[in-house]
Amino acid sequence: MSYFDAASSAPLHPVARQALVASLDEGWADPARLYREGRRARMLLDAAREAAAEAVGCRADELVFTSSGTKAVHSGVAGVLAGRRRVGRHLIVSAVEHSSVLHAADAHEGDGGTVTRVTVDRAGAGGVRAYADALRADTALACLQSANHEVGTEQPVAEVAARCQEAGVPLLVDAAQSLGWGRAEGAWSVLTGSAHKWGGPSGVGLLVVRKGVRFAAQGPADERESGRAPGFENIPAIVAAAASLRAVQAEAAQEAVRLRELTERIRVAVPQLVPDVEVVGDPERRLPGIVTFSCLYVDGETLLHELDRAGFSVSSGSSCTSSTLTPSHVLKAMGVLSEGNVRVSLPFGTPQEDVERFLEVLPAAVAGVREKLGAPVPSTVVRENVLVVDALGKLCPLPVIELAKVIGEVPVGGTVRVLADDEAARLDIPAWCEMRGQEYVGEEPAERGTAYTVRRMT
């Protein structure tokens, strides 16, 4: 079995395993106690904090360990917003942030705060000018991920941090996806990370708050972790997390070159091997191990099952799954195709043979799913009237499949109206038009659902 979902959770690094086992016998006591066992535990915790701080590029007394990356984000956002409440209650986030950031923004908005959600380009990057324009006199905090979790696009953190610094606004960086590759750039103010993303154990996050940033921890008071992360520290897991972070960063430069070559092989080969595919994300400014593509006329959940049976574990931001009937918020914000979406994220040490075998398996898997769904066969029938396609009650990717089946039946300049009530059609029909060189005219309410109009151009 080839595990290609490191962006969700990386396999436990050997150094993490060794550190975890070694610290179980010494790190079980309360580090707040003054007796021998407590002092031993405190020494392990302090050493782990210093190692993690060196890897992040901050002072040890600026870093605390939390129970998860999500908890670090929620604590960081809430703490800064509360600490700067006198400045105002305006929060800035990008539209492609991790769900933990967006959920924190929703909670802030529900509590009476205001939120600006900065749009991104088709590659998934937020604009420096857009962030600068969003800054206001009452802005308490801005948030920007270091790299996107779904498509791997790196964000202009250093440039945005400089603009925020000029305006006197702290910038929170979610560095969970990139921290294993190195430090976050720029004059950021708050940073979060998650150990299981870089090969550490799950259940360990980190929160860094720079000196000088006004911060008020929320919730009942607790003496642990400078009052910012309540509860008894899981010292063996923390030691393993810090040790593995240093280990992967030491390997990062060499491994990045190798994984970039492998992901570039996928980026180039997939469109050649599989027709009607869109590779998404920035081709240059991206993390080394992530490549994401979407396949027309494919049910994402079924494709993932087919790849699983073939021995590959991948993930998807597709709207075509039973658990999420709306498109990924990242793909939606980018305006790219969501159906048949596959994210390949290679862990450290992935052999080239596994990538080649994936490329051998993928075309047949996609073709099989398309055949089951009745993907279109080119048609030469020409009609002069406007065609109306009734796709009501049909879920992604069926509305696009029905459109593709009939677009050849109208003359160049003729139009097709697709009636659909699946939310994914609002994203996938325009994306299909851009891929196929057709004109997306627009949408309008229909008696049932929505009517999407497409003009044939080729």
Side-chain angles (χ1 to χ4, degrees):
M1 191 74 181
S2 297
Y3 181 75
F4 284 2
D5 196 21
S8 292
S9 188
L12 192 66
H13 194 281
V15 168
R17 185 181 302 276
Q18 295 168 6
L20 181 64
V21 172
S23 59
L24 285 173
D25 291 335
E26 299 289 339
W28 51 269
D30 187 345
R33 302 306 175 195
L34 299 179
Y35 42 70
R36 181 182 305 164
E37 294 84 357
R39 294 198 303 272
R40 288 175 179 169
R42 168 57 63 179
M43 289 177 61
L44 286 174
L45 180 59
D46 289 346
R49 195 184 315 278
E50 290 176 2
E54 181 183 0
V56 170
C58 67
R59 293 171 38 158
D61 59 356
E62 294 174 330
L63 185 151
V64 299
F65 294 104
T66 66
S67 58
S68 68
T70 294
K71 181 62 177 176
V73 167
H74 291 171
S75 298
V77 171
V80 176
L81 288 174
R84 289 173 50 82
R85 186 160 185 150
R86 289 185 179 179
V87 173
R89 303 202 64 199
H90 178 232
L91 170 66
I92 304 172
V93 300
S94 83
V96 294
E97 293 297 311
H98 187 269
S99 59
S100 60
V101 175
L102 298 182
H103 290 160
D106 290 342
H108 176 62
E109 206 167 32
D111 191 40
T114 58
V115 178
T116 296
R117 296 168 177 83
V118 176
T119 59
V120 298
D121 60 24
R122 195 171 173 82
V128 179
R129 170 57 72 86
Y131 263 85
D133 290 345
L135 292 167
R136 307 186 326 208
D138 64 337
T139 301
L141 175 66
C143 299
L144 179 64
Q145 59 193 193
S146 56
N148 187 259
H149 298 251
E150 290 193 29
V151 300
T153 296
E154 294 178 330
Q155 303 292 348
V157 170
E159 296 90 338
V160 170
R163 297 298 184 92
C164 289
Q165 189 177 47
E166 292 172 3
V169 174
L171 177 68
L172 183 151
V173 177
D174 167 22
Q177 204 61 248
S178 70
L179 203 51
W181 297 107
R183 297 176 177 178
E185 299 178 349
W188 49 265
S189 302
V190 183
L191 180 140
T192 63
S194 186
H196 73 98
K197 299 286 189 179
W198 66 67
S202 58
V204 178
L206 56 84
L207 169 64
V208 179
V209 181
R210 295 285 199 190
K211 294 296 180 182
V213 176
R214 296 187 63 85
F215 188 94
Q218 300 301 285
D222 193 286
E223 294 76 23
R224 308 256 176 196
E225 294 299 296
S226 303
R228 294 174 181 170
F232 198 96
E233 298 95 342
N234 184 348
I235 294 177
I238 287 172
V239 170
S244 58
L245 179 57
R246 293 187 65 179
V248 297
Q249 284 192 354
E251 303 165 359
Q254 182 175 352
E255 188 66 3
V257 173
R258 204 179 64 83
L259 290 187
R260 282 193 188 280
E261 291 177 352
L262 294 180
T263 51
E264 186 62 23
R265 165 76 173 133
I266 297 173
R267 288 180 65 89
V268 172
V270 167
Q272 296 174 347
L273 297 170
V274 182
D276 298 320
V277 164
E278 181 179 16
V279 180
V280 301
D282 195 292
E284 301 295 336
R285 287 180 57 97
R286 59 186 175 87
L287 292 177
I290 298 180
V291 57
T292 306
F293 55 90
S294 300
C295 309
L296 275 174
Y297 322 131
V298 168
D299 175 344
E301 185 175 72
T302 302
L303 179 57
L304 263 58
H305 286 319
E306 291 294 328
L307 291 172
D308 182 47
R309 280 193 285 270
F312 293 95
S313 302
V314 299
S315 69
S316 173
S318 175
S319 57
C320 313
T321 66
S322 59
S323 58
T324 170
L325 296 179
T326 57
S328 146
H329 73 277
V330 172
L331 301 179
K332 187 174 183 179
M334 293 168 62
V336 298
L337 183 70
S338 73
E339 66 184 52
N341 178 260
V342 174
R343 181 187 66 185
V344 173
S345 49
L346 306 178
F348 277 38
T350 299
Q352 182 175 350
E353 308 86 79
D354 285 5
V355 170
E356 296 301 330
R357 191 167 64 87
F358 174 77
L359 294 175
E360 292 175 2
V361 165
L362 181 66
V366 173
V369 174
R370 285 173 171 168
E371 183 178 2
K372 291 177 184 177
L373 292 171
V377 176
S379 172
T380 58
V381 178
V382 177
R383 299 177 184 172
E384 294 184 355
N385 58 310
V386 175
L387 288 185
V388 177
V389 177
D390 186 352
L392 294 168
K394 297 180 180 179
L395 298 179
C396 165
L398 293 178
V400 172
I401 289 177
E402 296 300 322
L403 167 62
K405 284 180 177 179
V406 303
I407 190 69
E409 298 182 13
V410 298
V412 173
T415 58
V416 177
R417 285 168 54 88
V418 182
L419 303 178
D421 51 10
D422 178 28
E423 177 66 22
R426 179 167 283 110
L427 175 65
D428 289 342
I429 290 177
W432 178 90
C433 290
E434 181 158 339
M435 290 178 66
R436 303 311 296 266
Q438 311 299 347
E439 179 186 355
Y440 178 64
V441 177
E443 66 173 80
E444 59 184 5
E447 186 176 343
R448 289 179 54 207
T450 303
Y452 302 92
T453 302
V454 175
R455 178 174 290 109
R456 182 184 176 189
M457 304 302 293
T458 61

